[in-house]
């Protein structure tokens, strides 16, 4: 159960969040929780999560290890904060900052080389869906961003299916639509990496998840977890989703 805070919360707001969130999820030992705050709040989040099983993730990672890459943050810098996950290829990075399928692969590899678990985001735009291109887009995103990984690298990634039309819109994809997309992703995983790796792969769903729909979504066998934006900003609402 992963929360993506996007560009929200200062470090002091992050500390307040964890003080409230920790006791709410103290009895959920059987599920993994990841929270991805902005870079500037990573330290506060790691401190806030100390002594719990809540993992902290970044929202992106640089391709390069170090050097003249103004604005970027490297995997080793992230790891040094205590973060253990990072998002890669989020649709907002694709939309606002021109990230492409080609960038997803080196960022993923950089994350793995710094011992971070990448949560690789894929998903079709509203136009892709309207024109019947969903399968083609997911297949292409897999082929370019994930397919070239080695089997050992692939075994360490998490994939998040986030249809762009469902993000921040209140339009959650139906369980049928999500199941179909997850099957396409798992089929691609199977054909490239084999049955065992495809079965072990965790595929999260993201897009307008809230405490009211989380239970139905988690009841779908194809959905292994959720990547939550807006509803993860409030400790009570994210805790309710984690418990669902
Ligand atoms: P919302 O849950 O706000 O729709 O955002 C989803 C998302 O982009 C998570 O990465």
């Amino acid at each position: 159960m992963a929360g993506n805070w996007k560009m929200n919360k200062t470090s002091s707001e992050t500390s307040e969040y964890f003080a409230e969130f920790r006791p709410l999820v103290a009895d959920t030992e059987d599920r993994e929780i990841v929270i991805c705050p902005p870079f500037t709040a990573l330290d506060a989040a790691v401190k806030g999560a100390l002594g719990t099983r809540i993992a902290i993730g970044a929202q992106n990672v640089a391709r390069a290890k170090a050097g003249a890459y103004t604005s970027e943050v490297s995997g080793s810098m992230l790891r040094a904060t205590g973060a253990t996950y990072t998002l890669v290829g989020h649709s907002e990075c694709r939309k606002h900052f021109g990230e492409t399928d080609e960038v997803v692969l080196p960022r993923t590899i950089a994350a793995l080389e710094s011992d971070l678990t990448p949560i690789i985001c894929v998903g079709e735009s509203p136009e892709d869906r309207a024109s019947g291109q969903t399968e083609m887009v997911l297949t292409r995103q897999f082929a370019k961003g994930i397919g070239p990984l080695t089997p050992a690298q692939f075994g360490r990634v998490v994939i998040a299916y986030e249809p762009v039309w469902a993000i921040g819109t209140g339009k959650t994809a139906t369980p049928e639509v999500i199941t179909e997309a997850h099957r396409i992703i798992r089929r691609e995983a199977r054909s490239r990496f084999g049955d065992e790796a495809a079965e072990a792969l965790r595929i999260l769903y993201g897009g307008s998840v809230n405490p009211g729909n989380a239970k139905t979504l988690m009841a779908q066998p194809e959905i292994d977890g959720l990547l939550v934006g807006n509803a993860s900003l409030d400790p009570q609402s994210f805790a309710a989703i984690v418990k669902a």
Side-chain angles (χ1 to χ4, degrees):
M1 312 300 280
N4 171 14
W5 285 359
K6 309 190 180 184
M7 197 173 72
N8 292 289
K9 296 195 194 292
T10 62
S11 43
S12 61
E13 288 165 344
T14 299
S15 305
E16 285 163 22
Y17 181 99
F18 276 88
E20 188 174 345
F21 184 65
R22 284 171 62 135
L24 298 175
V25 295
D27 60 346
T28 57
E29 290 285 302
D30 61 335
R31 52 208 78 183
E32 282 176 71
I33 304 172
V34 184
I35 291 185
C36 303
F39 292 131
T40 47
L42 283 170
D43 268 326
V46 168
K47 286 195 184 87
L50 263 186
T52 73
R53 291 170 58 265
I54 305 167
I56 303 305
Q59 296 174 15
N60 210 344
V61 58
R63 283 179 273 184
K65 287 192 163 54
Y69 300 97
T70 302
S71 89
E72 290 276 76
V73 179
S74 74
S76 61
M77 291 169 177
L78 296 174
R79 199 65 190 79
T81 68
T84 50
Y85 281 79
T86 183
L87 302 178
V88 178
H90 193 278
S91 66
E92 285 153 15
C93 301
R94 296 176 190 252
K95 182 175 158 196
H96 300 300
F97 316 126
E99 295 214 358
T100 59
D101 294 333
E102 285 73 16
V103 181
V104 170
L105 181 66
R107 287 197 192 273
T108 299
I109 293 171
L112 291 167
E113 286 177 348
S114 296
D115 207 17
L116 295 164
T117 300
I119 302 177
I120 307 168
C121 305
V122 297
E124 79 284 6
S125 69
E127 298 77 27
D128 298 330
R129 177 152 291 271
S131 58
Q133 305 283 297
T134 300
E135 181 163 0
M136 198 270 284
V137 168
L138 292 175
T139 307
R140 185 198 70 216
Q141 290 176 340
F142 190 96
K144 292 194 174 169
I146 303 165
L149 295 172
T150 66
Q153 288 170 330
F154 181 75
R156 293 170 51 207
V157 310
V158 176
I159 296 179
Y161 168 60
E162 296 210 312
V164 178
W165 47 271
I167 296 178
T169 58
K171 282 191 228 161
T172 324
T174 62
E176 292 73 27
V177 162
I178 302 169
T179 295
E180 191 196 350
H182 284 209
R183 284 202 179 125
I184 293 167
I185 295 165
R186 218 176 285 280
R187 181 195 70 201
E188 293 305 303
R190 189 171 293 114
S191 76
R192 168 74 180 86
F193 297 102
D195 288 346
E196 212 174 301
E199 285 317 307
L201 172 67
R202 287 177 299 172
I203 310 179
L204 316 183
Y205 165 75
S208 297
V209 173
N210 61 50
N213 59 25
K215 207 178 179 92
T216 310
L217 293 169
M218 285 310 295
Q220 310 304 313
E222 267 292 343
I223 303 182
D224 301 316
L226 302 169
L227 178 53
V228 187
N230 200 41
S232 72
L233 292 173
D234 173 62
Q236 298 283 347
S237 111
F238 191 45
I241 293 170
V242 168
K243 288 178 181 173

